[in-house]
């Protein structure tokens, strides 16, 4: 995921969120406690989200 200011995050969620490239969401994130590799970017746990 990339923010509007260009920061890249690697988000993990058990919610099953599927996004198309270019989609927008507002997400509440926290530290990633699971020891998994979520890809390139700053690792974070996605706590909740809303589609825009």
């Amino acid at each position: 995921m990339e923010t509007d200011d260009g920061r890249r995050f690697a988000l993990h969620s058990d919610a099953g969120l599927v996004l198309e490239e270019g989609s927008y969401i507002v997400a509440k994130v926290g530290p990633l406690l699971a020891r998994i590799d979520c890809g390139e970017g700053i690792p974070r746990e996605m706590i909740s989200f809303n589609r825009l």
Side-chain angles (χ1 to χ4, degrees):
M1 198 256 332
E2 186 171 329
T3 63
D4 289 337
D5 63 0
R7 292 186 297 163
R8 294 183 65 130
F9 289 88
L11 298 181
H12 173 264
S13 173
D14 291 331
L17 174 64
V18 176
L19 294 172
E20 299 291 327
E21 187 171 337
S23 297
Y24 283 86
I25 63 169
V26 174
K28 180 178 179 182
V29 299
L32 181 61
L33 302 178
R35 301 197 44 91
I36 57 175
D37 182 6
C38 292
E40 188 178 318
I42 302 165
R44 292 288 185 263
E45 180 80 26
M46 186 165 51
I47 298 166
S48 64
F49 67 90
N50 289 312
R51 293 177 188 267
L52 298 180

